[in-house]
Amino acid sequence: MLDIKDFSFFEKQNSFDFKSFLIKIVSYWKWFLISLVITFSIAHQVNVRKQKIFGIGTTIAVKEENNPFFTSNTSLVFNWGGTSDKVQMISTTLKSRSHNELVVDELQFYTDYFIKTDYYLKDVYGQIPFKITIDKTKAQLYEQFIKVKLVSANVYQIAVSIPSSSAGVIRYADNSVSSVPVFETEVVKNFRVGQQVSLPFLNWKLVLTKAPNDYIGKEVLIRFNSFDKTVANYKGLEVEIDARAGSIIRLGMQGTNKERMVDYLNATVKKLIDRQLEQKNKFADNTIAFIDETLMKMEGELKDSGEDLKDFSRTNNILDIEDKGANFKELLTNNDIKKEEVERKLAYLNSLKNYLNSSVDFSKLPAPTVAGIEEPNIVNNVAKLITLSIERSKMVYSAKGNIFYERIDNEIQSVKRVLLENANSLKIALQYDLRQVDMKISQLESEVKKLPETNQAYLNISRKYDLSNNIYNTYLQKRSEASIVKAANLSDIQFIDPAKDVGSGLLGPKTAVNYVLAFFIGLFIPLIVVFFIFFISNSIQNIDDISAITQIPIIGIVGIKHTESNLSVFERPKSALSESFRAIRSSLQFLYKKQRSEGAKTLMLTSSVSGEGKTFCSINIATVFALSEKKTIILGLDLRKPKIFDDFNIRNDIGAVNYLIGQKSLGEVIQKTHIPYLDVITSGPIPPNPSELILGESMKEMIEILKKDYDYIILDTPPVGLVSDALELAQYSDVTLYIVRQNFTKKEMLTLLNNRTKRGELNNISIVFNGYENKAKYGTGYGYGYGYGYGYGYGYSSGYHEDDVPRGFWEKMKYKFFKK
């Protein structure tokens, strides 16, 4: 009967046994080895199969490069809003579709160059000794590989496989995709280097870029991709504004081909510089265009006035006429020039007002100083308006959402209103100046009328010529200044560090890192598995587990047997396993002596459940007693599951059951074995009432009779954790051995054993630790303990006993499945 104490499984506070855990880890060393082999194999495959990814970068600076075009004290501010606004705009432009379209088109990066490797297609742009120059107006085979092989330094071969009667083609002039009929599905043709290839689906020239010696005979795959998809890929350019220096921009790219990335980064910055300088020169271009238009008009007027002056000179004495009207001529000319300047300014202001009120694109405004206007407010606001108008036009390709347009439109409207007010104020002042000049000219003209008619005529003709000539020369000077300034303009964007392949920049796969990760993952996975097994495992692992649960002494430690049968001691008497049983025999004799037992000695072996090695230990303990020439008998009392007969090659037809039911005499059930001094009484046929037979008087009589004839009686009993038979037989034993098997016996069973011992159900009990294999210490289990834990280890036992050689994997499987 189970007592309520049997369920007290936790007599002691359990804690994590780190030592046992380490031993467990070492015992699974094969798992760790296999895991490391797998993870290192995976890391190796990743390293060799995955293309290397590189990172290339460049750094540019954005700064103010003001152009002192119009006056020495008034500069046009081209990037109104400050450097930060310009940096943001440049950052957006670099990632815009329109900008990247220009760069991709210039570099023809929609063309791929590959070489086939064992694991992937390698991008060899810039590494092969040739490049393809296409005719953008004609068809190119679309998104299909074209095999190109250099046959010699001057001849190459094209091989194309077309799966159908038509081929998809693309024309990069307008990026249109269509199809063309083909009459050959397999095209293999040779061409000379530099020769124009003209096929229905291919139109290019192959030109060499360097000596082709190393690539002769090698096959290169060429593919023409979608222009828009290629641009979309390059729009992912990394653009980072330096947080500490707001005018510094870092550009970066990641990819498998460093040459391609270097070319693209440098080309995109160069294109940005050219476009920014072009926009910056817009002021000078507008001014030059305005001056050229004015000069064309002035040329006609100057030519006409010159002809009139020549005609007058032919019929009159110019020297005499000039002397009489010299004073009036100089005064009139000076005032005419002043009047022209004022009228030019008023004309510009009227034109500016009309332009502002009727136009939405202000990028073509000429500079105010062309008309001689040097008013700082007007000059600066015109520059601001032109800059804002240019920025807005660029937003069409880069900005998404009305919020961006609303901001810049509000700024344009604000500048335009201020500019109109400035123009009106200046116009009022100029109109006053014009009236003053007109008054002076009228006074001078009144004086001139007093001169002779010939002098008056000469003054009018020369006055007109001088004015036209002065205006023409002034505009010529302005145009020359504008051209000089345009040529001297610098972009606000400058290279700090152009992109360059310096041999570094590897981002992945990091081969060393992958192997380190493989090492740690290879250790971590089995470690987790072992930890899980250890955590959920509730079986006895070592002596410390036993000592932590029970105070029952351990009488011996038995290792793993490496023999086919259970007769390990008899078959290999010098093995370490045999020594462990001899150590148990010595300990038993000490216990018998301590109990002062006289005559025959009885020994009962039991365990918690079946499979813990009771029969194995019973046979070998009996054998060591028999080998010491002590008459020994093994009494098979596991009436429900008899086993003990098999190893001795005897029959189980008759046995203890036959005697207990009175069917046979004791002499008839005792069977001799091939081991001297060792007899066996098997259990016999399985009875319907084994417990009742054991409780009967016949059992007591049988023990008493056997004590008269034998020195040692070994009782092989059923598991005490499953049936109560062993408890009933405990009264006949002098010493009880409780078999505990490593990695098999549950810890709770020892708690039950404690309870039975406390209730007195089992007396004089000791524990035998069976199946012990100390892999952590000996690596392969060559060492087996004996006695109270003092054992012969591998290497120290040389000369004392034969070392058991453990079976390999196939021997273990053979023994497991084919043993009889």
Side-chain angles (χ1 to χ4, degrees):
M1 291 292 292
L2 289 176
D3 192 89
I4 192 168
K5 295 180 180 179
D6 295 342
F7 298 95
S8 302
F9 294 154
F10 307 104
E11 291 186 351
K12 294 187 179 181
Q13 181 67 34
N14 291 327
S15 61
F16 185 79
D17 191 344
F18 189 73
K19 179 181 177 182
S20 299
F21 180 60
L22 288 178
I23 294 174
K24 190 78 172 179
I25 289 174
V26 177
S27 68
Y28 284 96
W29 65 270
K30 292 181 180 178
W31 289 21
F32 286 88
L33 180 60
I34 294 172
S35 178
L36 287 172
V37 169
I38 293 173
T39 53
F40 272 94
S41 299
I42 294 173
H44 176 71
Q45 290 299 316
V46 169
N47 289 338
V48 298
R49 290 177 180 271
K50 191 174 181 181
Q51 292 195 67
K52 293 182 178 180
I53 305 297
F54 299 93
I56 298 293
T58 183
T59 306
I60 61 176
V62 181
K63 64 178 183 177
E64 304 288 350
E65 288 290 352
N66 294 330
N67 191 334
F69 171 53
F70 299 102
T71 65
S72 60
N73 59 357
T74 304
S75 298
L76 284 178
V77 182
F78 292 93
N79 52 320
W80 182 64
T83 304
S84 61
D85 282 355
K86 173 173 284 189
V87 169
Q88 291 293 340
M89 179 57 68
I90 290 173
S91 175
T92 304
T93 301
L94 285 167
K95 303 186 73 171
S96 67
R97 178 179 58 82
S98 60
H99 174 78
N100 285 283
E101 282 179 349
L102 296 174
V103 181
V104 169
D105 183 63
E106 180 179 308
L107 296 174
Q108 295 189 7
F109 267 15
Y110 39 73
T111 305
D112 283 339
Y113 303 85
F114 293 115
I115 285 181
K116 190 175 182 180
T117 67
D118 293 336
Y119 303 111
Y120 52 81
L121 294 176
K122 181 182 178 182
D123 184 357
V124 290
Y125 168 86
Q127 301 170 15
I128 55 176
F130 63 85
K131 68 176 182 178
I132 300 298
T133 302
I134 68 169
D135 185 345
K136 297 180 182 178
T137 63
K138 295 183 179 179
Q140 312 296 339
L141 189 62
Y142 183 53
E143 292 187 341
Q144 188 171 339
F145 285 120
I146 304 161
K147 298 176 182 178
V148 174
K149 181 168 62 176
L150 288 171
V151 179
S152 67
N154 299 315
V155 178
Y156 68 97
Q157 183 185 84
I158 293 177
V160 182
S161 297
I162 301 174
S164 63
S165 59
S166 63
V169 294
I170 184 172
R171 291 175 178 83
Y172 287 107
D174 56 3
N175 295 321
S176 60
V177 178
S178 59
S179 61
V180 295
V182 293
F183 304 100
E184 296 179 88
T185 57
E186 297 288 336
V187 178
V188 180
K189 293 187 177 182
N190 289 355
F191 296 92
R192 294 189 65 81
V193 172
Q195 178 184 352
Q196 178 66 44
V197 176
S198 297
L199 298 175
F201 50 84
L202 210 58
N203 294 273
W204 76 27
K205 283 184 180 179
L206 185 147
V207 294
L208 293 178
T209 57
K210 56 184 177 181
N213 300 333
D214 296 337
Y215 280 85
I216 292 178
K218 289 187 178 180
E219 189 175 78
V220 179
L221 303 178
I222 296 177
R223 182 178 63 189
F224 295 104
N225 300 307
S226 165
F227 182 82
D228 292 333
K229 289 181 180 178
T230 304
V231 171
N233 291 335
Y234 285 102
K235 282 175 63 179
L237 178 74
E238 298 174 5
V239 180
E240 179 187 358
I241 301 173
D242 196 313
R244 292 176 294 180
S247 62
I248 302 299
I249 300 178
R250 293 185 177 87
L251 311 180
M253 294 185 70
Q254 295 182 10
T256 59
N257 187 294
K258 291 193 284 186
E259 288 86 352
R260 185 182 289 272
M261 291 186 291
V262 166
D263 287 353
Y264 194 87
L265 284 172
N266 289 333
T268 193
V269 175
K270 180 66 168 57
K271 180 64 68 174
L272 183 68
I273 291 173
D274 292 342
R275 291 183 67 191
Q276 198 272 339
L277 186 58
E278 179 184 352
Q279 292 167 1
K280 189 172 184 179
N281 285 335
K282 192 71 173 179
F283 296 100
D285 290 336
N286 292 347
T287 301
I288 292 172
F290 178 83
I291 292 174
D292 287 343
E293 184 180 351
T294 305
L295 285 174
M296 288 178 65
K297 296 177 182 179
M298 293 305 300
E299 281 179 359
E301 295 179 6
L302 184 61
K303 183 178 180 181
D304 292 341
S305 59
E307 291 296 331
D308 291 342
L309 186 60
K310 287 180 182 179
D311 292 339
F312 185 84
S313 299
R314 293 191 191 99
T315 58
N316 298 282
N317 186 356
I318 298 299
L319 295 177
D320 185 52
I321 294 173
E322 282 183 345
D323 289 340
K324 293 180 180 180
N327 294 332
F328 290 107
K329 180 182 177 182
E330 183 178 356
L331 293 173
L332 284 170
T333 300
N334 291 336
N335 281 283
D336 284 340
I337 292 173
K338 290 180 181 179
K339 182 178 179 179
E340 190 278 331
E341 289 178 356
V342 173
E343 288 177 342
R344 191 186 339 142
K345 293 177 181 180
L346 287 170
Y348 178 87
L349 293 176
N350 290 329
S351 175
L352 176 63
K353 183 177 179 180
N354 293 332
Y355 196 88
L356 293 178
N357 291 327
S358 62
S359 179
V360 293
D361 181 12
F362 308 111
S363 61
K364 297 181 180 180
L365 279 174
T369 50
V370 170
I373 298 175
E374 298 178 359
E375 172 63 31
N377 292 329
I378 294 179
V379 173
N380 289 334
N381 286 329
V382 168
K384 293 176 184 178
L385 198 58
I386 295 173
T387 303
L388 287 171
S389 184
I390 294 173
E391 288 182 3
R392 192 189 189 286
S393 65
K394 294 191 321 188
M395 281 188 172
V396 174
Y397 304 103
S398 59
K400 302 295 183 182
N402 293 329
I403 186 171
F404 296 99
Y405 292 107
E406 290 176 0
R407 180 187 66 82
I408 199 165
D409 285 344
N410 290 335
E411 292 179 2
I412 290 174
Q413 292 300 321
S414 177
V415 174
K416 187 171 76 170
R417 285 193 296 270
V418 173
L419 186 57
L420 286 171
E421 291 178 2
N422 293 335
N424 287 331
S425 300
L426 181 59
K427 185 176 180 181
I428 293 172
L430 290 174
Q431 287 173 344
Y432 174 79
D433 293 339
L434 182 60
R435 288 193 296 269
Q436 295 297 318
V437 174
D438 284 340
M439 288 175 60
K440 292 180 180 180
I441 291 175
S442 297
Q443 292 174 0
L444 290 171
E445 286 178 346
S446 298
E447 295 294 330
V448 169
K449 288 180 180 179
K450 298 177 182 180
L451 296 174
E453 290 183 3
T454 305
N455 295 84
Q456 292 182 41
Y458 173 75
L459 285 174
N460 288 334
I461 294 172
S462 62
R463 177 183 172 189
K464 183 179 179 181
Y465 176 80
D466 290 341
L467 180 60
S468 298
N469 187 55
N470 180 270
I471 295 172
Y472 190 82
N473 289 332
T474 299
Y475 276 104
L476 281 178
Q477 182 181 357
K478 292 288 185 182
R479 192 187 192 287
S480 177
E481 290 175 359
S483 299
I484 293 172
V485 171
K486 179 181 177 181
N489 259 340
L490 295 175
S491 174
D492 291 347
I493 302 167
Q494 294 183 3
F495 268 118
I496 292 180
D497 220 358
K500 184 179 180 182
D501 178 13
V502 294
S504 58
L506 179 64
L507 300 179
K510 299 285 189 178
T511 55
V513 173
N514 287 345
Y515 285 127
V516 171
L517 287 175
F519 176 76
F520 284 106
I521 293 173
L523 293 179
F524 182 74
I525 292 176
L527 184 65
I528 292 297
V529 174
V530 172
F531 179 79
F532 181 74
I533 293 173
F534 183 81
F535 187 77
I536 64 172
S537 175
N538 198 31
S539 59
I540 300 297
Q541 301 294 323
N542 49 50
I543 296 174
D544 293 338
D545 289 345
I546 299 174
S547 302
I549 298 173
T550 181
Q551 298 298 319
I552 298 173
I554 301 173
I555 198 173
I557 301 174
V558 178
I560 303 292
K561 73 181 182 72
H562 299 293
T563 56
E564 295 296 328
S565 69
N566 285 327
L567 301 175
S568 299
V569 172
F570 181 75
E571 292 178 1
R572 303 191 65 185
K574 293 185 178 181
S575 67
L577 187 64
S578 299
E579 291 300 326
S580 66
F581 281 109
R582 291 188 179 97
I584 293 173
R585 179 186 64 186
S586 300
S587 299
L588 286 172
Q589 290 173 345
F590 174 78
L591 292 177
Y592 289 136
K593 184 177 181 180
K594 185 177 180 181
Q595 292 178 6
R596 298 179 181 178
S597 299
E598 301 293 337
K601 313 294 190 301
T602 58
L603 175 66
M604 183 180 78
L605 283 86
T606 187
S607 67
S608 303
V609 293
S610 178
E612 291 173 309
K614 298 181 304 300
T615 300
F616 170 71
C617 291
S618 298
I619 291 174
N620 286 283
I621 290 174
T623 300
V624 295
F625 281 124
L627 291 177
S628 61
E629 299 183 353
K630 300 292 183 180
K631 292 190 65 179
T632 307
I633 187 168
I634 303 174
L635 186 54
L637 297 179
D638 191 349
L639 305 183
R640 291 175 173 81
K641 195 176 180 181
K643 293 181 182 179
I644 207 163
F645 58 91
D646 224 9
D647 295 287
F648 296 104
N649 294 321
I650 57 177
R651 299 172 63 87
N652 191 38
D653 297 339
I654 57 174
V657 172
N658 301 94
Y659 174 81
L660 294 176
I661 62 176
Q663 190 179 52
K664 297 288 183 179
S665 66
L666 191 58
E668 291 176 313
V669 297
I670 295 175
Q671 300 187 57
K672 300 290 184 179
T673 69
H674 59 283
I675 300 175
Y677 298 98
L678 180 60
D679 297 337
V680 175
I681 297 178
T682 61
S683 60
I686 299 175
N689 56 344
S691 296
E692 285 73 13
L693 288 178
I694 290 174
L695 289 171
E697 289 294 325
S698 298
M699 174 60 70
K700 184 177 181 181
E701 292 175 0
M702 183 171 61
I703 297 297
E704 292 297 330
I705 295 172
L706 291 175
K707 283 185 176 182
K708 295 177 182 178
D709 298 327
Y710 291 93
D711 297 316
Y712 291 95
I713 303 170
I714 310 298
L715 307 180
D716 181 35
T717 66
V720 71
L722 299 179
V723 293
S724 60
D725 296 7
L727 297 177
E728 304 298 338
L729 292 170
Q731 58 183 313
Y732 303 117
S733 66
D734 298 319
V735 175
T736 300
L737 295 185
Y738 194 88
I739 309 301
V740 174
R741 184 176 175 183
Q742 186 182 36
N743 288 322
F744 192 89
T745 304
K746 304 301 179 183
K747 295 178 181 178
E748 298 90 83
M749 293 301 177
L750 293 184
T751 305
L752 290 173
L753 177 62
N754 288 337
N755 295 333
R756 295 185 186 280
T757 304
K758 289 178 182 179
R759 292 196 298 266
E761 296 176 0
L762 294 172
N763 297 314
N764 299 324
I765 187 168
S766 297
I767 292 175
V768 173
F769 192 24
N770 184 35
Y772 180 69
E773 187 174 13
N774 188 0
K775 292 182 180 180
K777 184 174 181 180
Y778 299 104
T780 55
Y782 285 8
Y784 302 99
Y786 72 98
Y788 287 91
Y790 301 94
Y792 294 121
Y794 178 74
Y796 294 98
S797 58
S798 179
Y800 289 94
H801 57 73
E802 297 174 355
D803 294 321
D804 289 331
V805 179
R807 293 189 299 268
F809 175 78
W810 294 112
E811 287 78 5
K812 289 181 180 179
M813 297 302 295
K814 180 180 177 181
Y815 174 73
K816 181 176 180 180
F817 291 104
F818 298 102
K819 67 178 181 179
K820 296 182 180 180

